[in-house]
Amino acid sequence: MRFGHFDDSAREYVIERPDTPLPWFNYLGTDGYFGLISNTAGGYSFYKDARLRRISRYRYNNVPFDFGGRYIYVRDDDSGEFWSPSWQPVRTPVDDYSCRHGMGYTIIGSARSGIRTDTRYFVPPGENLEIWDVTVANQRQTAAKVSLFGAIEFALWDAQDDMTNFQRNFNTGEVEVEGSVIYHKTEYRERRDHFAYFGCSETTAGFDTQREAFLGPYRGWDDPAAVGSGAATNSIAHGWSPIGAHQVRLSLQPGESKRVVFLLGYAENPREDKFDPAGSAVINKRRVTPVIDRYTSVDRVDEASRELAQEWDRLLGLFQVDTPDAATNRMINIWNAYQNMVTFNLSRSASFYESGVGRGLGFRDSNQDLLGFVHMAPARARQRVLDLAATQLADGGAFHQYQPLTKRGNDAVGSNFNDDPLWLVLAVVAYVRETGDGSILDEPVVYQNAPGTEQPLLDHLVRSLEFTLSRLGPNGLPLIGRADWNDCLNLNCFSDEPGESFQTTTSSDGKTAESMMIAGLFCAAAADIVDLARHIGRLDLAGAYAAARTAMLETIEGPGWDGEWFVRAYDDFGKKVGSADCDEGKIFIESQGWSILGGAGLSNGMAQKALDSVARHLATDHGIVLNQPAFTSYHLELGEITTYPPGYKENASIFCHSNPWIMVAETKLGNGDRAFDYYRRICPAVREEISEVHRAEPYVYAQTIAGRDAPTHGEAKNSWLTGTAAWNYVAITQAILGIRPGFDGLEIQPVLPTSWAGYTATRAFRGVTYEIRVYRNGPGTAVSLSVDGREIEGSIVPLPGAGTDLVKVEVALS
Ligand code: GLC
Ligand code: GLC
């Protein structure tokens, strides 16, 4: 069952009814100012940091969970009836509802009683504000008098404090009102130099800034007293809960429509010039007024909306494909690329599943996210990599997280997630392959944010590898530390106190438990460094890490092999985890994927055997589960993974992030059919057909889909902010379609499903456009390339000479 449809030409998903199984949401903003918006206009906004600069308020764990929103009320001033065009929060039935989630904007519209209201919400590129561009149309045969209310509830900046510290916060709220603009300036008098504003393009009939005055005592956002009575009260908030609400009265002839723009924005002033007049407590508005004036003009709003569309034309135009599968095209050309950009911007900080108060940017998460967007935003990728590297510790380890506003490592979580540093290698090498910008390797970067400790970025990569090599356990495999990619496999934790963090509690000395996932990841990172080192003429490094990799591969194929698949880990007692010998958790996905990605088992049949075991034990119709059998009881020696009920999260759900590793591994063995079959099982656009089962958005990946042990098998949870986005993009574009950036050119080595006759693609690479046509002469994966009509050896299209901007490549498969 579907709740909407894809409109590919507009690059939108069109939701056709407001009561989707879960709030289906979108993001606004790509740079400093961000917002989340659901299909019923729920959501909130913040500037750069969801925790420290929260602009509008969110009600955590509310029902529904998208509460707090950008709410518009329409009141028929003749009858007194009112409703929300976005259905929530009033929930009066509306006709012809639609929500169009597009690239950086959302349009929600509906009609009731002959009044149609459509609102386009977006953030203009480069601005710290969001626009609610409302069109109200009178579809009646008679004139209509309508009041339009736009309302937002301000958060008092620090989101954590805002939801806990009421004894203080009920007293601090302050606002100013000037013309059609409400200024939220809580704490501005003291240590804050920023404020928010909520403006309106029209002369308003009234406003409210005190929540209780607008809603009325004992009432909620579903039934505001001011809307019911048709008269805002012009309240001024002193303490309690500042809001911004504007009332606009419209008289509309039959067939007439009017546009009203509401603006929600964020602004900063230099500390020494905050007040006007100086010495007063009044906000200096000289800088912000021109911005507000610009964006309350509908011409400028239209122009900004076109600029946003052009920016997405440009970004998505960098890589477009035409394959025989519509869902694949949709994901690569539009939604997966878009989700990659969002995950890059927000890491795991703010969604309806990530509260925005907990986590900063994750070290491993951000490095992996880069794999999905580096071709779209190379300059930002460069900066991100340098920021991440600056939080690396001198011993090569890494802070697990950092706060984007301060760019400093998060002490509360610390380090010792032993996979972390290796992801930096993958990210930097991906960046250099994509851009050819080897200068990044020479950039001086500090360790642990400490001035004076600068070393070239290349040194950071070497220390990352050395971090692993200097922490090998009894079998010669890497020590796991607090966890590897699987945050919940906590082999040194041994926590028996409720409430302790599994990630930061460590009760064993950590010298025994080993991770096969890190072993495979190390081999992949070492292979990358060897390639890079050869490319830059550092044969010393190439030699050293080729040897280290060979040794690690031997260990993987030795103590890491269980007979039918790769072992997952060795625990603190030296016992195997993920082995036929175990009662539960006999086989895990990560070590099958990563051993093969690292290059193990390719020539001795182990890789094929391991993948056959995945197919036999882990694959379900809804995707590949993380482990089997699921754990049914708590294992002190394994940690958080065994706390989840069977089939959920790290305990045997389809943890979608890890599925593409198997897809890539299958392509390494030439199994295009299996790789693509796995791709489709978790592909949101394919699963659209079963939206009543999948329940999450059909246009973006979710972190997990409940596994076969769960009563809700097939149900997705935690959409949007997941490494699943980048990795599926890598799997489909680089492994299955086989288009891979390399140091010396663009490699094309597809491993397609046998039923495909081929595909075409256009890809920008180092400023040159490649038009690629792949066709089959036979069922296999051998390629012959012809470049601009000339046959070439091998699978790499060499970099063209200067001045070339178009290269045509024909790829025959046989
Ligand atoms: C979450 C974390 C990620 C981790 C994964 C598996 O997605 O953000 O860092 O690798 O869970 O535990
Ligand atoms: C929990 C989650 C895991 C996530 C971690 C982040 O352990 O199960 O997915 O990575 O929290 O702290």
Side-chain angles (χ1 to χ4, degrees):
M1 175 184 179
R2 297 202 258 112
F3 292 79
H5 64 272
F6 285 94
D7 180 346
D8 292 340
S9 60
R11 295 188 304 226
E12 292 172 343
Y13 191 79
V14 186
I15 300 167
E16 292 157 2
R17 45 190 281 190
D19 56 341
T20 45
L22 296 165
W24 284 0
F25 67 106
N26 192 13
Y27 284 88
L28 311 176
T30 46
D31 212 350
Y33 187 104
F34 294 103
L36 295 73
I37 182 162
S38 74
N39 57 308
T40 60
Y44 58 91
S45 299
F46 56 91
Y47 174 71
K48 283 196 177 165
D49 187 313
R51 160 131 191 217
L52 298 174
R53 290 279 197 286
R54 189 71 68 88
I55 294 166
S56 62
R57 186 168 282 154
Y58 174 60
R59 299 218 131 62
Y60 302 84
N61 216 348
N62 206 304
V63 274
F65 64 50
D66 61 339
F67 210 79
R70 300 171 179 82
Y71 294 136
I72 307 267
Y73 302 87
V74 178
R75 180 176 188 274
D76 179 346
D77 283 339
D78 293 320
S79 68
E81 180 200 40
F82 68 90
W83 63 94
S84 301
S86 55
W87 188 56
Q88 291 280 15
V90 179
R91 280 192 312 283
T92 306
V94 287
D95 301 323
D96 298 327
Y97 161 92
S98 70
C99 166
R100 294 181 161 266
H101 283 317
M103 306 288 104
Y105 67 87
T106 287
I107 305 169
I108 305 178
S110 67
R112 185 174 168 91
S113 306
I115 306 294
R116 164 126 210 130
T117 313
D118 292 278
T119 308
R120 173 187 287 264
Y121 298 93
F122 72 102
V123 175
E127 301 287 1
N128 294 325
L129 57 88
E130 65 183 63
I131 285 169
W132 313 357
D133 176 6
V134 190
T135 303
V136 188
N138 178 10
Q139 299 175 328
R140 296 177 185 165
Q141 307 299 325
T142 55
K145 284 200 171 0
V146 163
S147 277
L148 184 70
F149 293 81
I152 193 79
E153 183 169 355
F154 294 115
L156 309 188
W157 306 117
D158 179 332
Q160 172 80 38
D161 185 79
D162 182 66
M163 67 166 150
T164 47
N165 195 6
F166 309 122
Q167 59 79 27
R168 169 174 164 84
N169 294 341
F170 284 165
N171 300 285
T172 55
E174 288 189 296
V175 297
E176 288 176 29
V177 182
E178 247 182 59
S180 300
V181 187
I182 292 163
Y183 297 87
H184 173 231
K185 61 166 191 176
T186 300
E187 292 192 340
Y188 187 76
R189 279 185 306 116
E190 24 154 335
R191 294 166 302 179
R192 294 187 185 275
D193 307 321
H194 48 260
F195 57 92
Y197 55 89
F198 186 57
C200 177
S201 59
E202 306 304 303
T203 303
T204 60
F207 63 85
D208 271 298
T209 69
Q210 183 58 280
R211 188 178 70 201
E212 198 183 13
F214 183 68
L215 299 183
Y218 296 96
R219 296 163 78 129
W221 290 94
D222 56 339
D223 187 23
V227 178
S229 70
T233 74
N234 296 347
S235 58
I236 296 289
H238 302 284
W240 294 113
S241 301
I243 64 162
H246 291 296
Q247 177 180 6
V248 178
R249 287 214 171 92
L250 303 172
S251 293
L252 297 166
Q253 293 309 306
E256 190 187 1
S257 65
K258 280 209 177 127
R259 273 170 81 180
V260 177
V261 179
F262 295 103
L263 269 192
L264 178 63
Y266 169 93
E268 288 174 3
N269 270 329
R271 182 154 287 190
E272 61 292 351
D273 194 24
K274 279 169 63 166
F275 300 110
D276 186 18
S280 75
V282 180
I283 301 174
N284 177 354
K285 306 187 184 73
R286 274 173 285 128
R287 287 178 191 80
V288 79
T289 302
V291 180
I292 296 175
D293 289 347
R294 273 181 96 202
Y295 287 98
T296 43
S297 126
V298 290
D299 288 345
R300 176 57 206 153
V301 167
D302 288 340
E303 198 181 310
S305 166
R306 279 195 300 274
E307 285 166 12
L308 181 67
Q310 281 158 8
E311 176 61 1
W312 280 103
D313 283 343
R314 187 185 71 75
L315 288 170
L316 298 180
L318 295 168
F319 197 172
Q320 291 284 300
V321 301
D322 187 7
T323 77
D325 184 60
T328 301
N329 298 342
R330 203 162 259 168
M331 293 310 295
I332 298 178
N333 295 341
I334 307 171
W335 292 100
N336 197 352
Y338 181 59
Q339 186 178 6
N340 288 343
M341 202 60 159
V342 170
T343 38
F344 158 61
N345 282 324
L346 294 154
S347 193
R348 307 296 172 268
S349 69
S351 73
F352 287 122
Y353 307 87
E354 300 282 6
S355 66
V357 291
R359 311 159 77 178
L361 263 60
F363 192 91
R364 79 157 82 87
D365 294 339
S366 297
N367 279 306
Q368 290 173 84
D369 292 344
L370 184 139
L371 305 176
F373 80 88
V374 60
H375 69 290
M376 289 189 280
R380 296 178 75 192
R382 189 179 207 276
Q383 190 57 50
R384 176 64 59 84
V385 157
L386 294 173
D387 289 347
L388 286 165
T391 67
Q392 193 175 16
L393 307 176
D395 69 359
F399 275 110
H400 194 50
Q401 297 171 356
Y402 79 106
Q403 288 302 132
L405 206 61
T406 60
K407 294 192 174 177
R408 297 186 72 83
N410 184 344
D411 292 315
V413 180
S415 69
N416 289 335
F417 294 74
N418 286 355
D419 64 313
D420 269 336
L422 294 170
W423 298 107
L424 181 69
V425 177
L426 266 56
V428 171
V429 173
Y431 170 81
V432 179
R433 285 195 172 117
E434 180 67 46
T435 61
D437 170 21
S439 76
I440 195 172
L441 302 168
D442 304 323
E443 276 295 324
V445 182
V446 292
Y447 283 99
Q448 205 175 339
N449 302 112
T453 59
E454 288 82 358
Q455 289 294 326
L457 182 63
L458 182 61
D459 183 67
H460 286 250
L461 305 189
V462 169
R463 289 197 203 182
S464 295
L465 294 172
E466 289 303 321
F467 181 84
T468 305
L469 291 177
S470 59
R471 284 169 182 73
L472 300 180
N475 293 293
L477 291 164
L479 293 172
I480 195 167
R482 286 170 164 177
D484 58 24
W485 169 85
N486 188 331
D487 265 334
C488 299
L489 191 62
N490 315 117
L491 304 181
N492 292 306
C493 173
F494 295 90
S495 171
D496 52 11
E497 274 298 312
E500 273 176 355
S501 157
F502 289 100
Q503 274 78 42
T504 58
T505 306
T506 306
S507 307
S508 104
D509 70 1
K511 300 276 170 21
T512 306
E514 301 168 299
S515 161
M516 274 283 289
M517 188 270 152
I518 300 181
L521 177 61
F522 172 83
C523 292
D528 269 358
I529 286 286
V530 169
D531 271 8
L532 177 77
R534 286 197 185 120
H535 174 67
I536 59 174
R538 286 290 303 271
L539 299 184
D540 55 326
L541 289 181
Y545 291 110
R549 175 167 176 267
T550 304
M552 188 69 80
L553 287 174
E554 275 169 23
T555 313
I556 293 176
E557 293 174 359
W561 181 248
D562 193 57
E564 295 291 320
W565 54 76
F566 293 102
V567 174
R568 175 62 177 86
Y570 281 86
D571 71 15
D572 191 49
F573 307 104
K575 267 187 55 197
K576 285 181 185 174
V577 180
S579 154
D581 302 345
C582 305
D583 295 333
E584 299 182 327
K586 289 174 189 283
I587 171 169
F588 282 69
I589 194 170
E590 303 98 319
S591 44
Q592 317 317 318
W594 276 103
S595 298
I596 299 171
L597 265 53
L602 294 175
S603 49
N604 58 13
M606 285 180 181
Q608 188 61 57
K609 239 186 190 174
L611 291 175
D612 289 343
S613 296
V614 169
R616 191 167 326 119
H617 301 292
L618 300 180
T620 77
D621 290 348
H622 295 288
I624 309 166
V625 298
L626 192 144
N627 59 293
Q628 282 289 291
F631 295 101
T632 55
S633 61
Y634 181 48
H635 293 242
L636 192 65
E637 77 287 6
L638 301 181
E640 186 172 4
I641 186 169
T642 62
T643 66
Y644 285 114
Y648 294 104
K649 288 282 271 183
E650 279 84 345
N651 187 14
S653 84
I654 295 141
F655 208 100
C656 297
H657 184 149
S658 61
N659 279 220
W661 301 335
I662 300 299
M663 299 169 203
V664 178
E666 288 286 2
T667 64
K668 285 198 183 274
L669 297 179
N671 301 328
D673 283 329
R674 244 200 210 162
F676 188 63
D677 178 16
Y678 289 146
Y679 174 77
R680 281 188 49 97
R681 291 188 202 195
I682 62 167
C683 177
V686 173
R687 298 176 63 78
E688 184 200 22
E689 294 294 340
I690 51 163
S691 286
E692 79 287 5
V693 176
H694 185 75
R695 300 187 82 232
E697 294 87 338
Y699 44 90
V700 287
Y701 286 98
Q703 182 194 49
T704 65
I705 297 174
R708 68 155 75 100
D709 305 282
T712 58
H713 185 33
E715 180 190 38
K717 247 179 235 166
N718 194 359
S719 57
W720 278 102
L721 302 184
T722 161
T724 309
W727 272 106
N728 275 282
Y729 194 79
V730 167
I732 187 73
T733 61
Q734 299 194 18
I736 297 175
L737 301 187
I739 304 179
R740 292 194 277 269
F743 296 116
D744 303 313
L746 194 62
E747 177 165 25
I748 308 177
Q749 181 64 267
V751 184
L752 302 182
T754 40
S755 65
W756 282 20
Y759 73 87
T760 59
T762 308
R763 199 212 198 266
F765 177 59
R766 313 232 188 134
V768 177
T769 301
Y770 290 76
E771 280 180 12
I772 300 163
R773 186 171 81 91
V774 177
Y775 59 96
R776 265 197 196 287
N777 282 340
T781 59
V783 294
S784 340
L785 264 58
S786 119
V787 178
D788 288 329
R790 275 192 326 222
E791 310 267 302
I792 61 157
E793 283 290 307
S795 57
I796 299 175
V797 185
L799 297 170
T804 312
D805 43 37
L806 180 68
V807 172
K808 295 195 174 182
V809 190
E810 303 262 316
V811 182
L813 293 179
S814 57

